Amino acid sequence: MTILITGASGFIGSFIVEEALRQGFETWAAVRGSSSREYLQDHRIHFIELDFSSEERLTEQLRGHDFDYIVHAAGVTKSIHADDFFKVNYQGTVNLVHAILKLRMPLKRFIYLSSLSVFGAIREQRPYQEIEETDTPRPNTLYGKSKLKTEQFLDSIGNDFNYIVLRPTGVYGPREKDYFLMAKSIKGHVDFSVGYKRQDITFVYVDDVVQAVFLALDRGMSGRKYFLSDGNVYQSSTFSDYIHEELGRPWWLRVKAPLWVLKVVTFAGEYIGRATGRSTALNHDKYNILKQRNWRCNIEPACDELGYHPHFNLRQGVRHTVAWYKENGWL
């Protein structure tokens, strides 16, 4: 069996590659010429460079390849240019699928990694209830809007294209760089949070996302969309509490600021990003994400239909993650 993983050099993608090799797939990693291959060192990996900006080039690059499965994990989560979210996350996926259909590739299933962000703040009026797949999405970030538009494109293709959409909540684990900033801050004796209203948060460890990917290759009905979390709900301070514990409980200053402070900080971060030409984790999308008070979601369909069972709760996942940060010199 052959499998193509796009975004293979990224955080989640690199773990999907490792699991594909472990399961004995002929594993192809789609990368850009400039992509780091730091976590793609196994000699069994086949590399292919794909240009998602052009349907014509993609068609030629894929010609002669017949993959049994494609896991589309490529995408951008932050950018200084708003159009990039739609050029990469949406149009890149459109180009890829059109190339697959044009080549009549005998694909068994296409797995698309979307996000819980497609639903945005739909629970703000009825807080602290689970987001259900029957709810109407209301994304409040450019990232979420681009992911939703891509899902809608997949829905429009028809019955000849076999696909499943996975919608993980906040994904963390070794190699992840955004949550790492929190660990770095806590090691530096500062824990910063925003908003005084209760915040329910969900997480999923990267290995559990990978678990769902491989279950979805052969389980579940085409066109289904599944939320992924570890099945628990946490308060906003829990993640930093666990990091603090794994770092040996250094002295720290816990700062809780009002939302308007976050808005100022993210506005400044976005301005600096545009001035320097470098994307930053502190941007307008991040403001909308952090101000949201409810990230509950119902994972029962994934459990029932895919056989998905999370192996890591937040405490266990943070323990593994911080240990990796230490061992690899990040902390």
Side-chain angles (χ1 to χ4, degrees):
M1 291 289 184
T2 59
I3 188 169
L4 170 68
I5 297 120
T6 72
S9 62
F11 164 48
I12 299 175
S14 62
F15 282 99
I16 297 172
V17 169
E18 290 178 2
E19 181 63 16
L21 292 170
R22 192 188 70 79
Q23 293 196 22
F25 284 89
E26 179 184 313
T27 303
W28 288 75
V31 296
R32 298 188 302 271
S34 59
S35 298
S36 168
R37 302 189 184 186
E38 181 180 2
Y39 304 117
L40 302 173
Q41 297 295 317
D42 195 297
H43 70 278
R44 295 171 294 173
I45 300 172
H46 303 274
F47 290 97
I48 181 171
E49 291 190 20
L50 297 180
D51 180 0
F52 294 103
S53 68
S54 168
E55 180 183 327
E56 291 71 25
R57 280 193 290 274
L58 268 176
T59 302
E60 290 309 308
Q61 290 166 332
L62 290 170
R63 193 177 301 280
H65 294 281
D66 285 335
F67 298 109
D68 295 298
Y69 303 101
I70 293 179
V71 180
H72 189 35
V76 295
T77 59
K78 54 182 179 287
S79 175
I80 57 173
H81 303 295
D83 289 348
D84 285 349
F85 289 102
F86 296 93
K87 288 178 181 177
V88 178
N89 295 344
Y90 169 68
Q91 193 60 50
T93 306
V94 171
N95 292 340
L96 175 60
V97 171
H98 282 169
I100 292 167
L101 295 174
K102 187 181 295 185
L103 293 168
R104 299 183 182 274
M105 190 180 294
L107 191 66
K108 297 180 186 296
R109 180 158 283 178
F110 182 92
I111 308 297
Y112 179 63
L113 286 187
S114 185
S115 169
L116 180 59
S117 292
V118 301
F119 281 87
I122 66 164
R123 280 287 177 262
E124 294 303 288
Q125 293 180 337
R126 290 187 295 147
Y128 314 123
Q129 298 179 32
E130 289 185 337
I131 298 170
E132 304 282 351
E133 60 181 314
T134 53
D135 289 324
T136 301
R138 284 175 47 199
N140 57 353
T141 63
L142 291 170
Y143 173 70
K145 290 175 182 177
S146 67
K147 288 291 188 178
L148 176 60
K149 190 174 182 180
T150 306
E151 289 188 12
Q152 292 168 337
F153 160 71
L154 292 172
D155 291 340
S156 73
I157 297 172
N159 296 330
D160 292 336
F161 192 71
N162 193 322
Y163 72 95
I164 275 181
V165 173
L166 299 178
R167 294 164 164 168
T169 182
V171 186
Y172 69 101
R175 307 174 192 167
E176 200 281 329
K177 295 180 179 178
D178 286 348
Y179 286 119
F180 163 70
L181 295 177
M182 184 185 297
K184 186 177 179 181
S185 177
I186 292 171
K187 186 179 180 182
H189 309 293
V190 176
D191 176 41
F192 181 79
S193 61
V194 293
Y196 299 114
K197 192 176 177 183
R198 168 182 156 190
Q199 186 177 41
D200 286 358
I201 305 180
T202 51
F203 296 94
V204 60
Y205 188 65
V206 64
D207 284 6
D208 284 327
V209 176
V210 173
Q211 175 203 160
V213 166
F214 285 88
L215 289 170
L217 295 184
D218 300 302
R219 302 187 188 188
M221 291 178 56
S222 179
R224 294 286 282 123
K225 302 172 180 67
Y226 300 100
F227 298 124
L228 301 177
S229 77
D230 69 8
N232 299 300
V233 178
Y234 304 94
Q235 297 307 301
S236 56
S237 61
T238 309
F239 196 80
S240 54
D241 285 342
Y242 289 160
I243 292 174
H244 185 242
E245 182 178 314
E246 295 303 320
L247 289 174
R249 302 182 186 276
W251 69 267
W252 61 346
L253 179 65
R254 305 196 80 165
V255 179
K256 184 180 283 289
L259 283 171
W260 68 263
V261 172
L262 174 65
K263 193 162 190 176
V264 170
V265 170
T266 54
F267 176 83
E270 191 153 310
Y271 177 82
I272 293 170
R274 289 174 180 171
T276 60
R278 299 179 62 182
S279 60
T280 171
L282 295 173
N283 52 50
H284 185 66
D285 264 13
K286 180 63 72 173
Y287 168 74
N288 284 326
I289 290 170
L290 291 177
K291 79 171 184 177
Q292 190 165 320
R293 299 290 98 182
N294 180 50
W295 289 98
R296 292 170 172 260
C297 59
N298 183 6
I299 66 169
E300 286 187 11
C303 297
D304 294 341
E305 299 174 27
L306 300 182
Y308 169 71
H309 295 289
H311 296 152
F312 296 85
N313 61 33
L314 188 59
R315 183 184 290 275
Q316 294 166 321
V318 168
R319 182 175 300 125
H320 285 280
T321 302
V322 172
W324 186 91
Y325 288 152
K326 291 178 179 178
E327 290 166 5
N328 288 271
W330 287 34
L331 287 175

